[in-house]
Amino acid sequence: MNAPLIGARIERKEDYRFLTGAGQYTDDVTLANQSYAAFVRSPHAHAKIKSVRPDRAKKAPGVLAIYTGQDLSKLGGLPCGWLITDLNGQPMKEPPHPSLAQGKVRYVGDQVAIVIAETEAQARDAAELVEVDYEVLPAVVDGAKARAKGAPQLHDIAPDNTCYVWALGDKAACGAAFAKAAHVTKLEFINNRLIPNAMEPRVANGSYSRADDAYTLYVANQNPHVERLLMTAFVMGLPEHKVRVVAGDVGGGFGSKIYLYAEDVAVTWASRQLGRPVKWTSDRSEAFLSDAHGRDHHTVAELALDKDGKFLGMRVKTTANVGAYLSTFASCVPTILYATLLAGQYKTPVIHCEVTAVFTNTVPVDAYRGAGRPEATYVVERLVETAAREMKLDPAEIRRRNFITEFPYQTPVALQYDTGNYSATLEAARKLADVAGFAARRKASEAKGRLRGLGYAAYIEACGIAPSAVAGSLGARAGLFEAGEVRVHPTGSVTVFTGSHSHGQGHETTFAQVVADRLGMPIENVDIVHGDTSKILFGMGTYGSRSIAVGGTAIVKALDKIVAKGKKIAAHLMEAAEADIEFDRGVYRVKGTDKKKLFGEVAFAAYVPHNYPHDKLEPGLNENAFYDPSNFTFPAGTYVCEVEVDPETGKVAIDKFTAVDDFGKIINPMIVEGQVHGGLTQGIGQALTEGARYSDEGQLMTGSFMDYCLPRADDVPSYQVDTRETPCTHNPLGVKGCGEAGAIGAPAALINAITDALGVKDIPMPATPQVVWNALRKN
């Protein structure tokens, strides 16, 4: 029997393909008679379109066609996939979102026209010749000012730029808790807007076949079936079976490639008009202006405590900037994925959160790695750390006094945690970070004229986004299940088809480990197929750290059916009762005897019907399953960050960063560590270097890497990571998810460390040297 594969540090199968340049990304797809598209984009944040004159552009070399919003006016608008109901019981304001602007542009980068030519260079050159006459209007970019009297109005349907005002929790009970509090900690801060910047920019290549009146869209996307559903049902009015969506290798997404974008619709529609495939490849400048942004919350938060530091209640009021239009999942990020996590790891008895979502003349905002959970953790952990300092309590001790210790635990903000051990991750992190030696290190820093600080963050997140019944009751317009198919070939090798999509997570390895371990075969005998709607059962894709918990469980359910059918065949082959057959990692045995059959033997027999009673059992060994979880999974952990600050320059150096996570059962520790490292780096980027900024006129001031600073290798330390394990109680693998944790916990831990070093209550993100230097001068 082969060694166990669950928990093994196996190198990623897919990396050979990527490292040798054999990956097949969407831009690598060049079809016969290929044409190329470029988009004319608005240079203004807010303006009426008085006219579009493409005459000069049409005469440019190689130009095949130019289409404007008027040409696409019969198509539906880009839909939002989650309905939020306002405090007054009314549905959120959902203005039309055309694929090409019609009558008005609402942010810099808004698509005005598509130019199609023989080459990409010709299309881009011709796009600059399209003349658009604009009547420029005043713009509003700050979410906190969007509802102010006299603010420019983006949409007729939203007179005060309000999308919704939504709340969760018991407001009256929260007020009563604050009334009896011995201490109240209050903070006001901005969770800064971020630009995803995946390594591979977005690409879309639409093709129409007159032979069968069908479309194919090759696209860099995280969930091909959802893309197809939204485009066919809501925008183009096509039968789903007439549209195939293929997402091959995708170079990162971080949420920004979940959505149906205007460019995807435009190239697909244009391919039929032109009778040729149409490909658009974003450049980095376009990505800054057109990829959905993340975060952008303005929050006032309060924590009520008794004299011993026990939490009595929490009040949170957030204004969420959703940008110019509602992106695919924009409405649920600052509500369902945010307010429901404000309990954190603590038994705070009452919580009330009110969220106001507003439209502004900025790029639409949607899920970005963590999606609501980083914002919630930042609120909770900044409050907790600040409260500890104000009450002269040790930050670890105040957490211990308030940790949830009994499970299952029903929070006051809708979720029920199934399991966890928060003290275990806290103590492990403290030990690994050598918190006991911090005082000595601080003295050593002071001797050098430096400031040293230490900060904690104890995060929790809801992952495995589902179940459909709960999500539906909260406004989801689609199910959140996942599908898996296991196809066993006559020789015993296996092909797995999954609706989960891999764009850097290592699914081709992790899923193969699960299958190979269960069936007792070498991992090389298992192939994973994803990303093509013509091959895969309907699946909901990859986001919210759901792949192994939901997609992996669907595969396990299909494996259960494979094993069960194999028992029937093995029973016949060994002349035993089916009830007497046992299966363990590739071997069928008759209980109490030495009779056995290997899985490969049974697989071959399945394709030779005279080997078993084929009148009772159909040939073949191929099963599929859908899985809809009964609850979310709840990864949690503690991060400890230690920084040293140069007071002369404001430069922050991260000396130590320790992360101890509870991801439940871990399939591949090496892949998990890589996910944590990446998430931590993105979280550090938010806290230290990254931040999208607009001028008052709506111009993106951070529209390139000259002004938008991603963290570099020398901005991050050598991470110390470890795990503790409390298996999830409601999926057979016991897994929870790990892809977003680092980005969720890191910002709060780092800002807590910086404020500790500086001796200030708060500091805005990103804490650049200039921001830190100014904070020191004001202190």
Side-chain angles (χ1 to χ4, degrees), residues 286-298:
E286 277 187 295
F288 273 94
L289 292 173
S290 63
D291 290 2
H293 291 179
R295 315 288 194 254
D296 205 345
H297 285 193
H298 179 272

Side-chain angles (χ1 to χ4, degrees), residues 451-452 645 753-760 763 771-773 775-776 779:
L451 304 172
R452 182 173 287 264
V645 180
I754 294 172
T755 53
D756 181 50
L758 272 54
V760 299
I763 193 167
V771 168
V772 173
W773 190 87
L776 283 166
N779 192 27

Side-chain angles (χ1 to χ4, degrees), residues 43-102:
H44 304 292
H46 200 195
K48 291 180 181 178
I49 301 174
K50 299 180 71 174
S51 66
V52 180
R53 297 188 295 276
D55 298 347
R56 285 180 61 212
K58 285 182 177 179
K59 297 175 183 177
V63 171
L64 301 170
I66 299 174
Y67 302 108
T68 67
Q70 185 175 354
D71 297 305
L72 277 68
S73 60
K74 291 183 180 180
L75 299 183
L78 304 180
C80 179
W82 205 291
L83 174 66
I84 295 298
T85 301
D86 209 319
L87 273 177
N88 60 14
Q90 299 300 308
M92 65 188 185
K93 301 294 191 299
E94 198 169 354
H97 185 179
S99 297
L100 295 178
Q102 296 176 14

Side-chain angles (χ1 to χ4, degrees), residues 151-168:
Q153 180 181 324
L154 273 75
H155 302 282
D156 294 340
I157 196 175
D160 59 353
N161 293 322
T162 302
C163 178
Y164 55 76
V165 179
W166 176 92
L168 181 66

Side-chain angles (χ1 to χ4, degrees), residues 324-536:
Y325 301 98
L326 280 174
S327 181
T328 307
F329 294 111
S331 56
C332 72
V333 174
T335 52
I336 307 306
L337 298 179
Y338 167 64
T340 57
L341 273 301
L342 288 173
Q345 299 183 7
Y346 311 108
K347 47 192 175 188
T348 311
V350 288
I351 298 170
H352 182 262
C353 179
E354 181 178 294
V355 178
T356 302
V358 295
F359 296 109
T360 65
N361 296 110
T362 60
V363 174
V365 175
D366 211 315
Y368 171 68
R369 197 170 191 169
R373 282 73 54 87
E375 297 92 315
T377 295
Y378 195 78
V379 169
V380 175
E381 292 305 296
R382 287 289 296 116
L383 280 174
V384 171
E385 195 94 349
T386 305
R389 294 171 188 169
E390 290 176 345
M391 297 187 73
K392 304 296 189 281
L393 290 171
D394 179 82
E397 177 57 27
I398 199 172
R399 289 175 167 87
R400 292 188 195 101
R401 294 182 188 182
N402 291 281
F403 274 155
I404 297 163
T405 56
E406 296 181 0
F407 297 89
Y409 179 81
Q410 179 62 53
T411 75
V413 279
L415 300 181
Q416 185 179 84
Y417 303 162
D418 64 327
T419 186
N421 188 342
Y422 308 139
S423 293
T425 53
L426 173 65
E427 300 311 323
R430 282 171 53 82
K431 183 177 180 180
L432 190 60
D434 185 24
V435 173
F438 172 70
R441 293 192 295 275
R442 173 173 263 179
K443 277 192 174 183
S445 292
E446 290 172 351
K448 298 185 297 181
R450 302 294 173 89
L451 304 172
R452 182 173 287 264
L454 184 142
Y456 293 84
Y459 79 91
I460 192 168
E461 55 172 326
C463 292
I465 299 300
S468 295
V470 174
S473 69
L474 296 173
R477 287 168 164 164
L480 292 173
F481 52 83
E482 198 47 81
E485 179 183 355
V486 178
R487 186 178 299 172
V488 182
H489 304 291
T491 56
S493 61
V494 173
T495 302
V496 177
F497 300 86
T498 174
S500 297
H501 185 277
S502 180
H503 40 280
Q505 293 87 348
H507 292 175
E508 292 175 40
T509 303
T510 303
F511 287 163
Q513 283 180 251
V514 171
V515 174
D517 187 80
R518 180 74 184 281
L519 299 182
M521 62 177 58
I523 192 172
E524 293 78 16
N525 287 9
V526 181
D527 281 341
I528 307 297
V529 177
H530 62 88
D532 187 337
T533 60
S534 70
K535 297 178 180 178
I536 312 296

Side-chain angles (χ1 to χ4, degrees), residues 162-327:
T162 302
C163 178
Y164 55 76
V165 179
W166 176 92
L168 181 66
D170 190 329
K171 187 174 185 178
C174 206
F178 273 79
K180 65 180 183 181
H183 181 83
V184 173
T185 290
K186 183 176 181 179
L187 287 170
E188 181 175 357
F189 46 75
I190 292 173
N191 202 291
N192 43 323
R193 178 182 281 239
L194 303 175
I195 302 175
N197 282 307
M199 186 179 294
E200 175 206 26
R202 287 189 296 117
V203 185
N205 191 348
S207 175
Y208 173 72
S209 169
R210 297 191 185 280
D212 54 0
D213 189 30
Y215 299 80
T216 300
L217 172 64
Y218 299 89
V219 64
N221 185 266
Q222 298 176 216
N223 45 358
H225 280 98
V226 175
E227 169 111 355
R228 183 181 70 171
L229 173 63
L230 295 174
M231 188 163 62
T232 56
F234 296 97
V235 182
M236 297 183 69
L238 298 170
E240 277 187 88
H241 71 284
K242 288 295 184 181
V243 178
R244 175 189 177 204
V245 175
V246 182
D249 290 325
V250 174
F254 313 119
S256 69
K257 293 174 182 171
I258 296 173
Y259 324 116
L260 174 62
Y261 283 98
E263 294 89 353
D264 307 347
V265 173
V267 298
T268 305
W269 176 87
S271 69
R272 177 169 185 166
Q273 312 307 310
L274 196 60
R276 293 177 61 172
V278 179
K279 177 160 73 171
W280 167 76
T281 301
S282 171
D283 62 25
R284 187 58 66 184
S285 294
E286 277 187 295
F288 273 94
L289 292 173
S290 63
D291 290 2
H293 291 179
R295 315 288 194 254
D296 205 345
H297 285 193
H298 179 272
T299 294
V300 177
E302 298 174 280
L303 180 65
L305 305 93
D306 71 9
K307 62 181 178 61
D308 298 317
K310 294 286 185 69
F311 302 164
L312 302 177
M314 183 186 294
R315 284 194 298 225
V316 179
K317 198 166 186 178
T318 292
T319 298
N321 186 345
V322 297
Y325 301 98
L326 280 174
S327 181

